[in-house]
Amino acid sequence: MQDSVTPGGAALPPAVPLPSTPVTGPRPSTSLTVATPLRDVALAAALALAWFVTVDVLRTEQWWNPRWVSAWWWCGAALAVAVAGRRTHPAATFWAVVVGYPLAYRTGLQSELHLAPVLVAAFAGARAGVVGPVVGALATAGGTLALLVPGGLVVTRDLALGLAPWRLALDTSYTVALVCLACAAVALGVVVHRLEAASADLAARNAELRRLQAERTERAVLAERTRIARELHDVVAHHVSAIVVRAQAATRVAARRPEAPVEATEWIAGAGKEALAAMRGLVHVLRTDDRVAPSALAADRAGAASAAVTADLAPAPGLDDVARAAARLRDAGVAVDLAVPAPAREVPADVGLAVARIAQEALTNVLLHSHAAHVDVRVEDTGTHLHLTVRDPGPPRADDAARPGGHGLAHMRERARACGGTVVVGPQVGGGWAVRATLPVAARPEAAR
């Protein structure tokens, strides 16, 4: 037996989980990646040119007479190296400037300004994370002390060979101040490195949250489209199918019973009014949903069918609607043996809606796909579950195999799954077709929602 066809077009398929996509941040352009070292080199060259020109001009002035002009040349060169490689090669730049520059300086610190290359390299290395805080501080402090030693490479060589005695006397306060300044550059670089790492982590988390929000929104849209398609199918298909069957039956017996078309027309008018009222209720709910904030709408969709289709216009469909659906089937010429709990107790709104819609869809399928003259409908209440059974003895219609399939069976399963229940549909051993639904009315698992 095939499923019923959605009037007005096929319903949309149910929402499926979307594949997770990895978070990818903005990628730097190739031109920017290539231009970064070129800009650093250009800046270093401009700085070195300005430094050397300034020193050369100042040499001609009589009021500026440095003891060692070569110290200024070395400082300019080391500063250019520190600026040029601070981002592209921070580790090599750090060790070249912090270790190599003091050894080549040779003259002892001539000006506090000459400590600038060490400070720049120490800050850049610590910021890039290529040296640890302790190693960076010790290396920078050692390089600063080496700048205070007159002779540089020469003294270092002579001391290593034992050719020169150690007779260096340094001002303690001055030395401690310079060492602290150098260590402060390392500490500042470490702080900036950690702040940048935290900012990058926050940016990645923000991108992940945005992606998850977009995926969640898309899931909500797909779920809403499926809900609308399911409601349209369930509200319209049953009434329209019954109307079509009643009209066809009246046409067949019109020659023998002239009053049959009039009776059918009166019945069709009433069924059409019911379908129209149901459609208006659904449209009213959908228009109301459009005015709800997106976050509230997404939260509301978590309840599968708790919102009644005819909210504000009529009570939500429940167990009583099973009897109404059976009555419409009787009016269409099919005998219905109905057994429902009397009196029907209060059940959760979504369970009542699911029972009514599943029974309605099963009876609609009998009209469309079976020649059965009678149908057996049973609703049993065990206290914790509602059991719905709809059986028809058949036989199926001859043109049933050629009839295009719909989404009614899928909708029945979706409604049951939304309530934490199950639906089993299939042929019976002795012939015919059966629909069996089991829906919990107490202690429903939240995972099924």
Side-chain angles (χ1 to χ4, degrees), residues 340-368:
V340 296
R345 69 184 179 99
E346 292 291 331
V347 297
D350 55 346
V351 175
L353 177 63
V355 171
R357 294 304 189 207
I358 292 173
Q360 183 176 284
E361 178 62 31
L363 294 176
T364 301
N365 283 345
V366 173
L367 284 176
L368 294 176

Side-chain angles (χ1 to χ4, degrees), residues 55 66-76 104-107 114:
V55 171
R67 183 177 180 183
W68 301 99
V69 178
S70 60
W72 291 87
W73 302 130
W74 279 112
C75 179
Y105 191 74
R106 296 186 58 181
T107 61
H114 294 180

Side-chain angles (χ1 to χ4, degrees), residues 162-188:
L163 301 178
W166 181 261
R167 299 193 186 95
L168 183 62
L170 300 177
D171 183 270
T172 303
S173 300
Y174 184 67
T175 302
V176 170
L178 292 181
V179 170
C180 289
L181 180 61
C183 292
V186 176
L188 181 61

Side-chain angles (χ1 to χ4, degrees), residues 43-289:
L43 177 61
L47 179 62
L49 179 62
W51 182 280
F52 293 147
V53 170
T54 301
V55 171
D56 192 58
V57 170
L58 291 177
R59 289 177 59 192
T60 61
E61 301 294 334
Q62 295 184 359
W63 55 269
W64 192 67
N65 296 303
R67 183 177 180 183
W68 301 99
V69 178
S70 60
W72 291 87
W73 302 130
W74 279 112
C75 179
L79 187 60
V81 171
V83 171
R86 72 188 189 280
R87 288 192 289 185
T88 54
H89 303 88
T93 301
F94 174 82
W95 293 111
V97 175
V98 171
V99 176
Y101 168 58
L103 294 179
Y105 191 74
R106 296 186 58 181
T107 61
L109 193 63
Q110 300 296 305
S111 171
E112 291 79 6
L113 185 60
H114 294 180
L115 189 61
V118 175
L119 299 180
V120 172
F123 172 79
R127 179 183 179 181
V130 295
V131 292
V134 177
V135 175
L138 292 177
T140 306
T144 302
L145 291 174
L147 280 175
L148 299 173
V149 178
L153 291 172
V154 177
V155 173
T156 303
R157 180 200 62 190
D158 293 343
L159 288 175
L161 297 176
L163 301 178
W166 181 261
R167 299 193 186 95
L168 183 62
L170 300 177
D171 183 270
T172 303
S173 300
Y174 184 67
T175 302
V176 170
L178 292 181
V179 170
C180 289
L181 180 61
C183 292
V186 176
L188 181 61
V190 171
V191 170
V192 173
H193 172 71
R194 292 180 178 176
L195 289 176
E196 290 178 343
S199 298
D201 183 65
L202 288 175
R205 290 175 181 269
N206 185 57
E208 175 71 7
L209 289 175
R210 289 179 179 274
R211 183 190 67 80
L212 291 176
Q213 182 63 31
E215 181 177 322
R216 190 174 182 179
T217 300
E218 188 170 354
R219 289 175 185 266
V221 170
L222 292 176
E224 178 66 6
R225 292 174 59 189
T226 302
R227 185 183 75 94
I228 294 172
R230 183 169 57 242
E231 294 298 336
L232 285 173
H233 177 278
D234 294 343
V235 167
V236 177
H238 177 74
H239 293 84
V240 173
S241 298
I243 289 172
V244 170
V245 171
R246 185 62 183 268
Q248 291 174 343
T251 302
R252 286 196 300 268
V253 301
R256 299 191 307 272
R257 295 181 54 203
E259 72 279 5
V262 176
E263 296 175 356
T265 302
E266 294 177 352
W267 185 90
I268 289 172
K273 289 179 181 179
E274 291 182 11
L276 184 59
M279 283 293 298
R280 285 174 176 170
L282 177 59
V283 171
H284 175 79
V285 172
L286 295 178
R287 289 185 178 275
T288 302
D289 288 346

